Amino acid sequence: MSRTREVPDEAEAARRARFGALPERIRLEDTVEERATTAPDPGRDHYDPDEWLVRHCL
């Protein structure tokens, strides 16, 4: 036997209002934020060929 109810109770109506539909899909581009961690330092990666001579040979 199957039971059918014509009038849904309040709990079922509240549950359907809250969970009745899936949320909208979120695009992958909206979930990722890309930015530089620090500002680039031009003096940090500067190579000076004479520095090696001064540090190790003198």
Side-chain angles (χ1 to χ4, degrees):
M1 269 199 271
S2 63
R3 288 191 319 175
T4 58
R5 291 186 282 171
E6 294 180 14
V7 180
D9 60 343
E10 289 181 31
E12 183 179 346
R15 184 172 54 250
R16 286 195 183 270
R18 183 172 181 190
F19 302 110
L22 293 174
E24 293 183 22
R25 297 197 97 177
I26 299 174
R27 298 181 318 160
L28 182 61
E29 295 84 19
D30 295 338
T31 62
V32 177
E33 178 182 352
E34 295 181 3
R35 59 181 176 175
T37 55
T38 59
D41 184 13
R44 179 177 177 188
D45 297 324
H46 177 71
Y47 176 71
D48 185 10
D50 293 332
E51 182 182 3
W52 182 84
L53 291 172
V54 171
R55 286 184 184 236
H56 298 287
C57 295
L58 293 180

